[in-house]
Amino acid sequence: MAAYSDPRLIPLSRQAYASGYIRLPWPNRPFALGQGFSTTLADQTRNSPFFQLVAFDTEALAQAKFSYQRFMGCAGAFRSRESTSSSSSSEHLSVGFGATIGNDYLNASVTGGYDKVLLENKDSCKTSIQASYRAGAIRFSSEVPLSKAATSILQGTDGFQHFSDTYGDYYVAGLHIGADTGVLVSQDLEQSESTEQLSVILKVQILCFSDSKTWKQADFSAYLNTRFSVNCFDTLENTHYANDLSNIIEAHDYGQDFAARAHGLSERCEKALSGWTHELTQVSQETCEGICQSNLVAEVLLLPFAKLREVAAYVS
């Protein structure tokens, strides 16, 4: 995390101090519910912070029941941001707020790729739009008992510290079903005569979801040969694109494309989710694996081991 000094970027290890839940952007990596996770490794290394050795009883975990719960009314959000400072980027971060930037393994997600490119962007004028949609969550129906080996470690020397070193301090407790999409278009103000005019061009002409026929040549003729940068992602299609574009026409095309995806995100997500109606009535580990591969998992829900009844007594 040292390369990104913005104080609004909160590393996972700091989030863990409060012992609350962590919503991790889907890392586009294979893992299973119940698998351990180290917030320390997530910040400090390039290796996987997920543990292969599982703290829960393997037989009980294999037979564990899961439930899918729809969010009441579902949860959607749409936002638009503008900034005119080369040092200002964090307000354009994805829903993950750059939490995975410090770990290359986690940063394999399209949101992680977007955030990394964003924080390296030194253009002065930035405009972005983003949309998020959460349909529901898959969680354990009941608490799964620890294995005998995990219990023995808790009862031994160094107790919970040894346990955390072996299994992690958090575990995968659920999956948030949904999607995120967004696009940022930027340009260096040194190439522009008017900050105000450029901000309007970026917001209205490029990112406003409207018919391109409403364009007038006089509105953008001064920018036909001006470089623009575009950075866009879509978790439902597992897509991330970042590049410098040679003119405003190309920037407009990408802006309109991802603006349309953002405005139609809930409909696209529900259409993809309709193919899982039967499987989500009786959720299994296999169901979770399949839905992860379908790009319908937007976030991984991590809970602290310390909050489990079997573990809490050994936490100092």
Side-chain angles (χ1 to χ4, degrees), residues 96-141:
F97 296 108
T100 65
I101 289 297
N103 187 283
D104 288 349
Y105 185 92
L106 297 178
N107 217 40
S109 67
V110 296
T111 54
Y114 168 87
D115 286 341
K116 184 177 181 180
V117 172
L118 167 65
L119 293 174
E120 294 171 348
N121 186 323
K122 300 304 180 183
D123 287 348
S124 298
C125 193
K126 302 183 184 75
T127 299
S128 66
I129 58 171
Q130 291 188 35
S132 297
Y133 182 74
R134 300 292 181 267
I138 295 175
R139 299 188 179 96
F140 284 99
S141 296

Side-chain angles (χ1 to χ4, degrees), residues 30-53:
F31 58 85
L33 268 76
Q35 196 164 350
F37 181 92
S38 169
T39 55
T40 301
L41 288 178
D43 291 340
Q44 297 180 354
T45 75
R46 294 184 176 184
N47 299 323
S48 170
F50 291 99
F51 283 69
Q52 294 302 314
L53 193 61

Side-chain angles (χ1 to χ4, degrees), residues 250-305:
E250 292 183 359
H252 169 263
D253 290 344
Y254 275 102
Q256 291 285 289
D257 179 23
F258 277 83
R261 298 187 197 203
H263 283 272
L265 183 62
S266 60
E267 290 81 3
R268 291 194 296 124
C269 191
E270 287 297 334
K271 181 178 180 180
L273 193 57
S274 65
W276 292 88
T277 303
H278 175 71
E279 288 84 351
L280 289 175
T281 59
Q282 294 182 326
V283 183
S284 64
Q285 281 280 19
E286 291 73 21
T287 303
C288 296
E289 293 173 5
I291 205 164
C292 284
Q293 294 173 2
S294 72
N295 299 326
L296 275 166
V297 175
E299 295 169 320
V300 180
L301 178 64
L302 303 174
L303 293 180
F305 275 118

Side-chain angles (χ1 to χ4, degrees), residues 134-214:
R134 300 292 181 267
I138 295 175
R139 299 188 179 96
F140 284 99
S141 296
S142 60
E143 198 168 289
V144 179
L146 297 178
S147 66
K148 292 181 179 179
T151 302
S152 178
I153 289 176
L154 282 171
Q155 296 171 344
T157 305
D158 295 328
F160 183 66
Q161 183 59 54
H162 188 188
F163 178 94
S164 298
D165 292 341
T166 306
Y167 301 109
D169 52 343
Y170 276 66
Y171 68 97
V172 180
L175 306 172
H176 284 179
I177 306 304
D180 301 298
T181 190
V183 56
L184 177 138
V185 179
S186 64
Q187 201 235 354
D188 191 337
L189 285 176
E190 292 181 358
Q191 300 185 44
S192 174
E193 295 181 359
S194 170
T195 301
E196 182 179 356
Q197 181 186 17
L198 180 57
S199 295
V200 172
I201 289 290
L202 290 178
K203 182 178 181 180
V204 179
Q205 299 288 30
I206 295 181
L207 293 185
C208 180
F209 182 49
S210 60
D211 192 334
S212 61
K213 292 180 180 179
T214 62

Side-chain angles (χ1 to χ4, degrees), residues 160 305-307 311-316:
F160 183 66
F305 275 118
K307 295 298 184 181
V311 179
Y314 300 95
V315 179
S316 58

Side-chain angles (χ1 to χ4, degrees), residues 7-23:
R8 283 172 285 188
L9 298 183
I10 303 176
L12 293 176
S13 58
R14 283 179 55 193
Q15 294 182 39
Y17 289 157
S19 293
Y21 67 86
I22 293 175
R23 295 186 303 171

